[in-house]
């Protein structure tokens, strides 16, 4: 039975809510065109019923508005979100009501409380207000007015909603460009239109809650971006193909914001990263550059290098002799990627699923953080069957298509890139050196004593805010509440005198780790100090850093006059390892909370800073107690 048939059967039998945990895998296995058709089967699913049966699914509420008919976008967005294991609730505002809805803080759009609001812009929003006949100055005037309007709507949204607003750039239809008969006027119109789109793209610089998607790259790949018949008869100004690609980009954005972006790209080598079989052809026989096919592999390596430079961790997973693989990575003159670009080179004759398990364990990451790419259908099928959490990409056929296949689903899309991201491979390679040091140490105590851990805990500065927001989005294991925050939300908390946002940095004998964690604190009545959340990167587990930072905060709370410190643990599928953190460090009582367990510390006895590390704590770690 095909995936579409299975979905149809579940829908027909009324069992779709009960078996909603199958939906993501069924949709993911479909080609894009079949997935778009199958998404219609999800329309009308009772999200409440699904949530009751599958409480672990993350719900995503979205509102779609715009100038034209957008039912196709609602359907496609429902399917794309479901494909990524999310539970979508997508609403559509009335036809042509976008300005009224976005401009009125009391509208139903804002009442929906959506985390994602999509305002689809198209050429009619501008050209419907251009007079007939028109010249380029008429278009310039309307574009200026529209940009001012969209800027005002973005400002209203930023003041009113806690979610994200998405606009898009507007394609210029040829049918309007050629209404101007002379080429100088067409060029002028093109320049004006592109300047307006550039203004749109810059809206996100002024309003952090606004994201603007550039449609030009989507039009490059989408067949039939516009159908004049559907525009005239149905008010559909962008084709179903374009709206489907738009929905996919929105889903990538939501996935990144939910902390579900991928972190590791595990690559086969033969016929994937280079042409030829290393064991048969030798290092000198590999095909990289100098031939059309070799240039295709080189282009793929260039892409992979670009991803690596922005924080994607690379691993080679190959059935080859390890020494020969290293010889190729170190010595082939035409390779773009070198040994130092990889956090791990797992070459040998073990099953690749076993190698991927080893990789995830060494990196202290979940298997769902890994994308595995291989040209072999057999290897892809074997990994998919044994490790369903891993995202598997089959790089089939022509290597010139490898780039498109790897980029098609935006697996590594991020909400922002930090300095730690650009150093991520180096940081993990340093971690490998620490692991070697541990294996040579006589005991864990000897390892920690010789590591020379230095920890800094201080109020976050402006430069720390993007990294701290990223930690809330990407940290899953040591994350006590998994509350996801944008940079603007972190900034607002840091500016609140009743709160503190603390950045945790660390270093040791092998180098600096940068900002590795965060503490979010709030003054409550009582006087009670509330630990809103604590996060720590998986790279620095088991070094006593959390104990040192909690010790400093508890001591500062006692000195400031607090009577109690309260912290909540909200269990998820991935943070079980910190389930007993509060009791372990002296929180002596607990009670059920709305989402988990609330723990209390009476400050009578505070855990000490571990003796094997040094802690530098800044001033004003806790906010002053509230006065009654």
């Amino acid at each position: 039975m095909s995936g579409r048939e299975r979905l149809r059967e579940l829908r027909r039998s009324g069992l779709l809510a009960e078996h909603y945990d199958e939906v993501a895998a069924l949709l993911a296995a479909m080609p894009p065109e079949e997935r778009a058709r199958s998404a219609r089967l999800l329309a009308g699913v009772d999200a409440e019923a699904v949530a009751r049966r599958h409480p672990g699914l993350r719900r995503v509420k979205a509102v779609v508005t715009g100038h034209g008919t957008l039912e196709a976008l609602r359907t496609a967005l429902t399917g794309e979100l479901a494909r990524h294991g999310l539970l979508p609730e997508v609403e559509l505002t009335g036809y042509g009501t976008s300005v009224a809805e976005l401009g009125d803080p009391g509208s139903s759009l804002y009442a929906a409380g959506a985390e994602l609001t999509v305002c689809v812009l198209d050429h009619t929003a501008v050209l419907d207000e251009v007079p007939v006949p028109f010249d380029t100055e008429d278009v310039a005037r309307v574009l200026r007015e529209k940009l001012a309007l969209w800027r005002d709507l973005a400002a209203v949204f930023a003041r009113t909603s806690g979610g994200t607003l998405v606009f898009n750039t507007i394609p210029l239809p040829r049918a309007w460009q050629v209404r101007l008969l002379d080429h100088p006027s067409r060029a002028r119109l093109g320049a004006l239109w592109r300047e307006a789109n550039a203004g749109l793209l810059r809206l996100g610089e002024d309003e952090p809650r606004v994201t603007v998607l550039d449609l030009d790259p989507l039009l490059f790949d989408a067949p039939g971006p516009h159908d004049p018949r559907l525009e005239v008869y149905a008010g559909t100004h962008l084709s179903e193909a374009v709206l489907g690609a738009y929905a996919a980009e929105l889903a990538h954005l939501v996935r990144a914001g939910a902390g579900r972006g991928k972190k590791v790209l595990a690559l086969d080598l033969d016929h994937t990263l280079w042409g030829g079989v290393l064991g048969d052809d030798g290092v000198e026989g590999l095909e990289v550059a100098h031939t059309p096919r070799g240039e295709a592999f080189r282009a793929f390596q260039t892409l992979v290098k670009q991803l690596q430079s922005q924080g994607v961790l690379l691993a080679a997973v190959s059935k080859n002799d390890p020494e020969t693989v290293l010889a190729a990575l170190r010595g082939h003159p035409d390779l773009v990627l070198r040994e130092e670009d990889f956090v791990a080179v797992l070459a040998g004759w073990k099953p690749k699923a076993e190698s991927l398990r080893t990789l995830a364990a060494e990196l202290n990451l979940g298997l769902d953080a890994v994308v595995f790419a291989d040209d072999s259908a057999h290897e892809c099928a074997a990994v998919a069957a044994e490790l369903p959490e891993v995202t598997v990409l089959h790089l089939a056929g022509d290597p010139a298509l490898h780039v498109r296949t790897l980029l098609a689903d935006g697996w590594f899309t991020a909400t922002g890139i930090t300095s730690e991201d650009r150093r991520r491979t180096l940081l993990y390679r340093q971690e490998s050196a620490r692991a070697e040091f541990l294996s040579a140490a006589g005991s864990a105590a000897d390892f920690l004593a010789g590591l020379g851990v230095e920890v800094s805990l201080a109020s976050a500065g402006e430069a720390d805010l993007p990294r701290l927001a990223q930690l809330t989005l990407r940290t899953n294991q040591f994350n006590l509440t998994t509350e996801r925050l944008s940079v603007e939300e972190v900034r607002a908390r840091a500016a609140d005198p009743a709160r503190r946002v603390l950045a945790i940095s660390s270093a040791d004998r092998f180098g600096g780790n940068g900002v590795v964690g965060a503490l979010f604190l709030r003054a409550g009545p009582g006087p009670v100090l509330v630990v809103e959340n604590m996060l720590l990167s998986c790279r620095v587990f088991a070094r006593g850093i959390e104990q040192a930072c909690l010790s400093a905060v508890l001591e500062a709370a006692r000195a400031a006059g607090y009577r109690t410190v309260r912290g909540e643990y909200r269990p998820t599928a991935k943070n079980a390892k910190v389930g007993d953190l509060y009791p372990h460090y002296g929180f002596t009582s607990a009670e059920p909370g709305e989402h988990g367990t609330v723990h209390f510390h009476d400050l009578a006895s505070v855990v000490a800073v571990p003796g094997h590390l040094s802690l530098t704590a800044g001033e004003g770690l806790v906010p002053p107690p509230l006065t009654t």
Side-chain angles (χ1 to χ4, degrees):
M1 180 184 297
S2 71
R4 180 172 171 78
E5 289 169 344
R6 174 60 175 164
L7 279 179
R8 187 183 291 114
E9 177 188 280
L10 292 174
R11 176 64 183 266
R12 188 186 304 117
S13 61
L15 297 175
L16 190 52
E18 182 177 341
H19 293 274
Y20 202 86
D21 54 342
E22 297 181 32
V23 169
L26 292 173
L27 291 172
M30 298 178 190
E33 60 278 4
E34 183 180 352
R35 187 164 63 240
R37 294 193 301 270
S38 299
R40 299 185 180 97
L41 297 170
L42 303 179
V45 173
D46 186 344
E48 293 294 338
V50 175
R52 285 194 299 271
R53 289 174 171 83
H54 308 283
L57 285 177
R58 187 182 185 281
R59 298 174 70 170
V60 177
K61 181 172 284 189
V63 174
V64 175
T65 189
H67 198 64
T69 301
L70 296 168
E71 181 62 37
L73 180 58
R74 173 166 67 173
T75 300
L77 182 56
T78 298
E80 291 294 334
L81 291 172
R83 177 168 74 106
H84 295 303
L86 303 167
L87 175 55
E89 300 174 69
V90 185
E91 299 179 9
L92 192 63
T93 67
Y95 182 91
T97 62
S98 59
V99 173
E101 292 278 355
L102 280 171
D104 177 11
S107 70
S108 59
L109 181 147
Y110 290 107
E115 68 177 84
L116 180 71
T117 299
V118 185
C119 180
V120 181
L121 306 178
D122 62 69
H123 57 278
T124 62
V126 175
L127 297 174
D128 280 358
E129 298 186 22
V130 170
V132 178
F134 73 93
D135 59 25
T136 56
E137 291 310 309
D138 294 317
V139 178
R141 173 183 52 78
V142 176
L143 286 171
R144 286 194 298 270
E145 293 170 355
K146 290 295 182 178
L147 265 178
L149 171 64
W150 296 326
R151 191 174 292 109
D152 289 344
L153 294 177
V156 173
F157 183 90
R159 293 194 301 268
T160 307
S161 174
T164 296
L165 172 64
V166 177
F167 285 131
N168 57 269
T169 58
I170 307 173
L172 173 62
R174 181 176 183 275
W176 279 86
Q177 181 211 38
V178 298
R179 295 180 194 205
L180 297 171
L181 299 183
D182 62 293
H183 282 281
S185 294
R186 293 178 184 178
R188 168 70 173 155
L189 176 62
L192 291 169
W193 204 269
R194 287 165 176 79
E195 288 164 4
N197 276 330
L200 269 170
L201 289 167
R202 292 191 185 98
L203 280 181
E205 298 174 3
D206 301 326
E207 299 291 353
R209 294 195 185 280
V210 176
T211 296
V212 182
L213 295 184
D214 191 348
L215 283 195
D216 279 355
L218 301 186
L219 298 179
F220 188 83
D221 288 332
H226 172 255
D227 187 326
R229 295 166 299 179
L230 288 176
E231 177 165 26
V232 172
Y233 300 129
T236 301
H237 308 304
L238 294 170
S239 72
E240 191 166 323
V242 171
L243 292 176
Y246 197 141
E249 291 295 311
L250 293 172
H252 301 162
L253 178 67
V254 172
R255 187 180 65 208
R260 298 193 178 194
K262 306 299 181 179
K263 300 176 182 179
V264 182
L265 175 58
L267 291 160
D268 173 51
L269 297 177
D270 294 339
H271 296 305
T272 297
L273 207 61
W274 54 55
V277 176
L278 182 59
D280 296 335
D281 302 320
V283 173
E284 66 283 353
L286 297 181
E287 195 173 10
V288 187
H290 307 305
T291 67
R293 183 176 168 84
E295 290 295 343
F297 286 109
R298 185 176 176 84
F300 182 64
Q301 288 195 31
T302 300
L303 163 64
V304 172
K305 178 78 170 181
Q306 176 68 20
L307 299 179
Q308 182 268 345
S309 73
Q310 298 169 87
V312 176
L313 299 173
L314 303 184
V317 179
S318 173
K319 288 184 176 178
N320 264 306
D321 174 70
E323 293 304 317
T324 308
V325 168
L326 291 176
L329 292 175
R330 293 168 181 169
H332 195 289
D334 297 319
L335 290 183
V336 176
L337 294 168
R338 296 295 179 183
E339 180 186 4
E340 59 269 20
D341 294 315
F342 294 85
V343 292
V345 177
L346 300 173
W349 308 105
K350 296 178 180 179
K352 291 191 176 181
E354 184 177 339
S355 294
L356 290 171
R357 284 197 190 92
T358 299
L359 173 67
E362 288 179 352
L363 298 179
N364 202 11
L365 295 171
L367 285 165
D368 60 347
V370 178
V371 174
F372 170 66
D374 198 311
D375 70 292
S376 167
H378 168 75
E379 296 288 2
C380 287
V383 169
E386 191 163 344
L387 303 176
E389 310 99 311
V390 172
T391 297
V392 177
L393 300 182
H394 183 203
L395 301 179
D398 194 331
L401 301 179
H402 286 4
V403 167
R404 187 174 72 179
T405 301
L406 180 55
L407 293 177
D409 271 308
W411 295 115
F412 302 103
T413 296
T415 57
I417 301 297
T418 67
S419 59
E420 279 82 2
D421 291 324
R422 300 190 188 282
R423 299 173 58 235
R424 190 171 302 280
T425 297
L426 172 62
L427 295 174
Y428 270 89
R429 289 180 70 87
Q430 289 175 351
E431 195 58 33
S432 295
R434 294 181 184 96
E436 292 178 6
F437 179 62
L438 172 60
S439 66
S443 65
D446 292 339
F447 165 71
L448 291 173
L451 194 57
V453 178
E454 300 175 359
V455 179
S456 170
L457 180 67
S459 295
E462 179 65 27
D464 299 319
L465 303 184
R467 171 60 176 164
L468 298 184
Q470 183 187 69
L471 282 168
T472 73
L473 297 174
R474 299 183 63 170
T475 303
N476 296 306
Q477 296 183 68
F478 198 122
N479 189 333
L480 290 167
T481 67
T482 63
E483 182 181 21
R484 312 299 185 182
L485 300 174
S486 67
V487 175
E488 187 61 27
E489 288 168 327
V490 175
R491 181 178 288 110
R493 293 195 184 193
D496 185 344
R499 281 186 159 104
R500 289 291 184 272
V501 175
L502 306 180
I504 303 170
S505 303
S506 74
D508 57 39
R509 62 182 294 171
F510 294 100
N513 292 301
V515 176
V516 295
L519 271 159
F520 294 87
L521 309 175
R522 172 172 55 84
V528 176
L529 178 67
V530 180
V531 180
E532 295 183 302
N533 200 8
M534 184 175 185
L535 309 103
L536 201 63
S537 168
C538 60
R539 288 187 290 110
V540 294
F541 284 0
R543 296 179 195 169
I545 293 174
E546 68 277 13
Q547 178 179 334
C549 292
L550 275 174
S551 175
V553 167
L554 294 173
E555 289 286 7
R558 183 162 60 184
Y562 284 100
R563 298 174 187 169
T564 306
V565 175
R566 185 181 78 204
E568 183 177 6
Y569 166 66
R570 300 179 187 176
T572 71
K574 295 186 177 183
N575 72 352
K577 68 170 53 186
V578 293
D580 65 347
L581 180 132
Y582 284 124
H584 184 72
Y585 290 120
F587 287 68
T588 56
S589 60
E591 63 184 36
E594 183 179 357
H595 302 288
T597 307
V598 180
H599 299 266
F600 299 90
H601 197 297
D602 62 10
L603 297 175
S605 177
V606 173
V607 64
V609 174
H612 67 265
L613 60 75
S614 63
L615 172 69
T616 302
E619 299 293 329
L621 290 183
V622 301
L626 297 177
T627 57
T628 57

